[in-house]
Amino acid sequence: INQIHKKLGTKLSKALPALHVFSGSDYTAIFCRKGKIKPLKCLEKNELIQTILGSFGDSDNMNPDDIDAVGKFTSELYGLKKINCVNEARLQIFLQKCKPAKSASTLSHIKSLDAALLPPCSKVLYQKLLRVNYICSVWLNVDEAIANIPLPENSGLILTNTGYNMKWFD
């Protein structure tokens, strides 16, 4: 482990747990057909995102600028480096996939669209980031006898009679 840490560097090593949760794990959904390698390659090239993901779990609060930067990073995962917002990326991909040919009907293209291939909208991405932050805070405190873990309610979860469930939108 020490050799791997030394080779990767502190910043990238610290960001890897958050990248694992962000790109899909037992606790969060995957980005369809993106896997783990593509997010890792994008992360290796982006020191700002390394810093941001490396700070996940340190605090309950998330900086809006960090959320925007992760949104841009998410757009990059979908091959849209010039787009800063996941909502814009969703629209761009949708338009690319559904742009009708002159001879075909408009609905024929929409029927073949798999919505799972679109990036998440900004509200869903925000909820995912809350969950990533929460999981990272649990992992950072795993060695403590009395862990200082934030309340799940502050991390996009709500307590119901069946346990904790995802809180989607207000």
Side-chain angles (χ1 to χ4, degrees):
I1 298 283
N2 289 333
Q3 294 297 329
I4 293 170
H5 180 271
K6 189 175 184 180
K7 184 169 181 157
L8 294 177
T10 301
K11 195 181 281 190
L12 181 57
S13 296
K14 193 169 180 191
L16 288 178
L19 180 70
H20 171 65
V21 179
F22 179 72
S23 62
S25 69
D26 290 344
Y27 310 105
T28 58
I30 63 166
F31 293 107
C32 189
R33 297 187 184 164
K34 299 302 169 205
K36 297 283 187 181
I37 301 299
K38 185 165 187 168
L40 177 61
K41 288 184 178 188
C42 289
L43 179 67
E44 288 173 332
K45 298 174 188 173
N46 194 328
E47 288 194 29
L48 174 63
I49 297 299
Q50 289 177 26
T51 302
I52 292 169
L53 292 181
S55 70
F56 273 46
D58 293 340
S59 169
D60 288 3
N61 302 322
M62 296 183 63
N63 183 338
D65 292 336
D66 292 350
I67 295 168
D68 292 342
V70 175
K72 180 172 175 31
F73 176 71
T74 304
S75 297
E76 289 176 19
L77 294 179
Y78 286 84
L80 302 170
K81 295 181 180 182
K82 295 180 180 179
I83 295 181
N84 295 327
C85 173
V86 290
N87 289 342
E88 291 176 29
R90 277 178 71 85
L91 178 62
Q92 182 70 29
I93 293 170
F94 178 80
L95 292 175
Q96 287 173 355
K97 302 280 184 189
C98 294
K99 186 175 182 180
K102 291 181 182 178
S103 62
S105 72
T106 305
L107 294 178
S108 66
H109 293 289
I110 294 174
K111 288 179 184 176
S112 66
L113 176 69
D114 183 0
L117 299 176
L118 297 174
C121 69
S122 60
K123 287 184 177 184
V124 171
L125 183 64
Y126 176 69
Q127 291 296 319
K128 182 173 186 145
L129 293 177
L130 288 175
R131 181 77 171 170
V132 170
N133 193 49
Y134 177 73
I135 297 303
C136 287
S137 68
V138 171
W139 287 354
L140 284 173
N141 289 286
V142 74
D143 62 337
E144 300 293 328
I146 300 174
N148 185 18
I149 299 171
L151 293 172
E153 290 87 354
N154 298 338
S155 304
L157 298 171
I158 56 171
L159 183 59
T160 65
N161 58 356
T162 60
Y164 281 101
N165 294 308
M166 292 299 296
K167 173 184 166 187
W168 289 103
F169 310 109
D170 293 331

